[in-house]
Amino acid sequence: WMDVGLYLELQKLPVRVAPTPPHTNLTQDTYVFSPFKPVTVKLLMLPSTIQFVDEPFGYFTVSHTDVSRYLSPNMVSLIGVLIALFSAKFFMSDSLRYRQLGVLLFKVRDYMDALDGNIAREISRTHSTGQVANPHSFGWMVDGVCDGIAD
């Protein structure tokens, strides 16, 4: 409940709007990624490596490539499960090098989990709302099941 209490207190804070330089043609659709906003419960509960490495890298990938045109979020979730299965195979090895490779593969799986959310937000144009769950969508269920299997 401490996280929920912190979330409620943070929601009472005034929103800080970044100043726009004069003579720019920014539209309302312009979104600047920040690992700190908008504040959501999920954002507060993310491990720091996911919040400060995987999520920004996933957003960078989506915003600078056409990956959202070729891969659906559900496809990325399923690829993440496959990577997690390979990672688990390497975790069970007696060799230290294979276990280290398993850790690296699991971080790739974490990146794929961040990427699927960023692709979903890119397709629906909801980056500015942050990581807000939509339990009425099929993708939300697929992502949850794939995360449960992979973790």
Side-chain angles (χ1 to χ4, degrees), residues 42 46 50 55 72-82 84 106 108-121 130-151:
K42 183 175 180 180
L46 285 176
I50 293 175
E55 284 293 332
S72 73
N74 295 340
M75 289 170 60
V76 175
S77 294
L78 292 172
I79 292 169
V81 169
L82 293 175
F106 200 79
V108 171
R109 191 224 69 92
D110 283 345
Y111 164 72
M112 297 302 279
D113 187 32
L115 184 63
D116 69 2
N118 277 291
I119 290 173
R121 286 187 291 278
Q131 298 178 351
V132 178
N134 180 7
H136 303 292
S137 71
F138 178 70
W140 182 79
M141 183 202 60
V142 171
D143 184 51
V145 169
C146 288
D147 288 349
I149 292 170
D151 287 344

Side-chain angles (χ1 to χ4, degrees), residues 21-141:
H23 308 300
T24 58
N25 293 327
L26 294 178
T27 64
Q28 277 188 319
D29 296 338
T30 302
Y31 172 72
V32 177
F33 178 82
S34 170
F36 304 108
K37 64 179 184 177
V39 177
T40 61
V41 172
K42 183 175 180 180
L43 180 68
L44 293 172
M45 297 174 74
L46 285 176
S48 55
T49 56
I50 293 175
Q51 181 178 356
F52 299 118
V53 178
D54 297 334
E55 284 293 332
F57 190 51
Y59 179 76
F60 180 83
T61 302
V62 167
S63 64
H64 288 80
T65 66
D66 287 336
V67 70
S68 61
R69 291 179 60 202
Y70 301 108
L71 293 174
S72 73
N74 295 340
M75 289 170 60
V76 175
S77 294
L78 292 172
I79 292 169
V81 169
L82 293 175
I83 292 171
L85 293 174
F86 283 112
S87 175
K89 174 72 172 149
F90 286 116
F91 279 145
M92 293 186 286
S93 173
D94 290 333
S95 169
L96 176 62
R97 293 282 183 216
Y98 283 135
R99 290 195 308 263
Q100 289 171 335
L101 180 60
V103 170
L104 180 66
L105 282 174
F106 200 79
K107 283 310 298 171
V108 171
R109 191 224 69 92
D110 283 345
Y111 164 72
M112 297 302 279
D113 187 32
L115 184 63
D116 69 2
N118 277 291
I119 290 173
R121 286 187 291 278
E122 177 70 18
I123 291 170
S124 64
R125 302 278 185 223
T126 57
H127 280 292
S128 61
T129 61
Q131 298 178 351
V132 178
N134 180 7
H136 303 292
S137 71
F138 178 70
W140 182 79
M141 183 202 60

